[in-house]
């Protein structure tokens, strides 16, 4: 955070390498966030590029008094929403039927299939639930920070997070990924 | 704690966001309630599955970023220029209409009146000459000068915006040039490194070939 402030100050003075340092520092977290939010790992690269392009064009003076990361995540969220509006990276819903869980032959294939199903189940969640799930579970943001980012009350976000987990529990169970039955 | 309270606290429990006291209270309830225990197990399982997802990587291509910034800046400048030209053209057209057609627009009681051309001849009864003649509404030199200065000010504004856009564009182009130079330098360094590695490998292979 302190390092970010110093880099932004250098960028404000016209040092372009400071901006590049900020990009190197934040490209991975922002890329992860976008990939998980959109459910398209291949889209994350394009969107990440767009986020830093918007940040570069806005310039160092445009970021609010809050932290640089919060500003960047807000840009990322807007970029993801714009892309979803253009339906370029709309989440692909899974087929409704339960897949044949016995199909994958080896453990590695089964693991790959499980990861694919979980990723798409996350992508199937409605956007407000997906946003809070990704920011809270993966980015480890508390509900107050997410509230500042999205403009939604923290209590609403807390309830959305619980709903998201509940929906995922049901969907994953439906897809045959429920917890093993515990012995009586 | 009731089952209702515990269910509300379970997401925070599986995300390890509860204080030790809160967690203790929830755990105490869970030891006695099989249904809530199953719910906790299900949510913890969801979190474990979520953690299985791989961490995707994304790399920003800085030269491409600068190039796209320059393109967008250029498009923006072009849009402004078009808007300014359209504005000045519209203003000039209005001016011509007003002056050329002697357009007159006025709002009277419950009606708007638009009239162009010369005012209609009205038979006016002869009246005795008054000491001060009534002012005839017409476009005088002062109005024309005012309009001219307005058009000049607009044109000057357009020129200023244009100059600023050019300066911004030049800055971005400079950035692109720098980035390209850096990329070239890195490419050359990488090429030298690869050549050195290849030479080393070839030497090692040759030495191994000489040995029985």
């Amino acid at each position: 955070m302190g390092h970010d402030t110093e880099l932004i100050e250098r960028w404000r003075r016209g040092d372009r390498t400071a901006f590049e340092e900020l990009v190197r520092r934040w490209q991975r977290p922002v890329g992860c966030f976008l990939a998980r939010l959109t459910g398209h790992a291949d889209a994350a690269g394009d969107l990440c590029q767009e986020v830093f392009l918007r940040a570069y064009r806005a310039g160092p003076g445009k970021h609010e008094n809050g932290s640089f990361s919060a500003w960047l995540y807000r840009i990322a969220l807007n970029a993801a929403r714009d892309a979803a509006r253009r339906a370029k990276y709309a989440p692909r819903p899974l087929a409704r039927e339960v897949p044949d869980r016995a199909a994958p032959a080896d453990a590695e294939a089964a693991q790959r299939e499980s990861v694919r199903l979980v990723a798409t189940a996350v992508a199937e969640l409605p956007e407000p639930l997906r946003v809070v799930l990704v920011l809270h579970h993966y980015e480890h943001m508390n509900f107050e920070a997410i509230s500042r980012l999205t403009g939604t009350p923290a209590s609403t976000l807390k309830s959305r997070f619980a709903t998201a987990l509940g929906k995922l529990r049901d969907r994953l169970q439906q897809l045959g990924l429920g917890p093993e039955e515990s012995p009586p | 704690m009731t089952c209702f309270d515990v269910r509300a606290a379970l997401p925070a429990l599986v995300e390890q966001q509860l204080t030790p006291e809160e967690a203790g209270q929830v755990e105490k309830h869970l030891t006695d309630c099989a249904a809530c225990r199953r719910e906790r197990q299900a949510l913890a399982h969801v979190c474990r599955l979520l953690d299985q997802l791989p961490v995707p990587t994304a790399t920003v291509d800085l030269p491409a970023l600068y190039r796209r910034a320059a393109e967008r800046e250029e498009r923006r400048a072009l849009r402004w220029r078009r808007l300014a030209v359209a504005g000045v053209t519209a203003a000039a057209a209005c001016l011509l209409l007003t002056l050329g057609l002697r357009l007159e627009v006025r709002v009277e009681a419950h009606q708007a009146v638009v009239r162009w051309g010369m005012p209609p001849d009205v038979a006016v009864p002869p009246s005795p000459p008054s000491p001060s003649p009534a002012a005839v509404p017409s476009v005088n030199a002062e109005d024309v000068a005012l309009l001219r200065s307005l058009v000049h000010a607009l044109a000057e504004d357009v020129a200023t915006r244009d100059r600023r856009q050019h300066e911004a564009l030049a800055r971005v182009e400079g950035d692109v040039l720098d980035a390209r130079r850096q990329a070239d330098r890195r490419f050359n360094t990488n090429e030298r490194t690869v050549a050195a590695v290849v030479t080393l490998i070839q030497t090692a292979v040759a030495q191994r070939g000489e040995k029985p």
Side-chain angles (χ1 to χ4, degrees), chain A residues 91-101 113 116-124 170-177:
Chain A
R92 288 169 292 210
L94 282 172
R96 287 286 151 198
E97 69 275 13
V98 179
D100 180 9
R101 298 289 299 147
E113 179 62 5
R116 190 187 71 80
L117 290 174
V118 174
T120 324
V122 171
E124 275 185 335
D170 295 345
R171 185 65 177 130
L172 292 171
Q173 213 145 25
Q174 191 190 351
L175 292 167
L177 288 176

Side-chain angles (χ1 to χ4, degrees), chain B residues 4 7 21 57 63 72 117 170 202-204:
Chain B
F4 182 79
R7 295 292 170 101
E21 292 79 36
T57 52
R72 285 197 189 177
Q202 283 172 346
T203 315

Side-chain angles (χ1 to χ4, degrees), chain B residues 33-56:
Chain B
C33 180
C36 288
R37 226 171 24 243
R38 271 197 301 277
E39 180 67 11
R40 191 261 298 266
Q41 191 192 358
L43 292 186
H45 180 69
V46 169
C47 288
R48 271 197 302 279
L49 285 175
L50 285 174
D51 290 335
Q52 275 181 12
L53 292 187
V55 180

Side-chain angles (χ1 to χ4, degrees), chain B residues 127-149:
Chain B
S127 59
S130 59
S132 61
V136 180
S138 64
V139 179
N140 58 26
E142 269 182 28
D143 291 341
V144 172
L146 188 68
L147 285 168
R148 189 176 293 146
S149 64

Side-chain angles (χ1 to χ4, degrees), chain A residues 16 20 56 137-138 169 177, chain B residues 15 39 45 50 175 178:
Chain A
R16 197 168 46 82
E20 292 173 3
Y56 176 73
H137 182 78
Y138 290 112
R169 177 200 58 204
L177 288 176
Chain B
E15 287 279 320
E39 180 67 11
H45 180 69
L50 285 174
D175 286 352
D178 284 355

Side-chain angles (χ1 to χ4, degrees), chain A residues 40-150:
Chain A
H40 295 252
D42 50 347
D46 292 351
L47 280 176
C48 197
Q49 187 84 11
E50 174 66 22
V51 168
F52 284 99
L53 176 63
R54 286 185 190 188
Y56 176 73
R57 294 192 70 215
K62 287 286 168 69
H63 106 272
E64 304 110 87
N65 295 328
S67 71
F68 175 72
S69 61
W71 180 60
L72 210 53
Y73 274 106
R74 189 169 298 125
I75 296 177
L77 192 57
N78 289 338
R81 281 175 176 165
D82 290 348
R85 255 198 299 278
R86 289 195 301 270
K88 198 175 169 188
Y89 300 125
R92 288 169 292 210
L94 282 172
R96 287 286 151 198
E97 69 275 13
V98 179
D100 180 9
R101 298 289 299 147
D106 52 85
E108 199 182 325
Q111 172 68 15
R112 267 205 309 275
E113 179 62 5
S114 158
V115 164
R116 190 187 71 80
L117 290 174
V118 174
T120 324
V122 171
E124 275 185 335
L125 287 173
E127 197 255 9
L129 302 189
R130 209 164 60 243
V131 167
V132 69
L133 178 86
V134 172
L135 288 173
H136 187 63
H137 182 78
Y138 290 112
E139 305 301 320
H140 308 293
M141 278 191 196
N142 59 34
F143 293 116
E144 282 70 30
I146 304 174
S147 171
R148 282 195 293 277
L149 192 74
T150 57

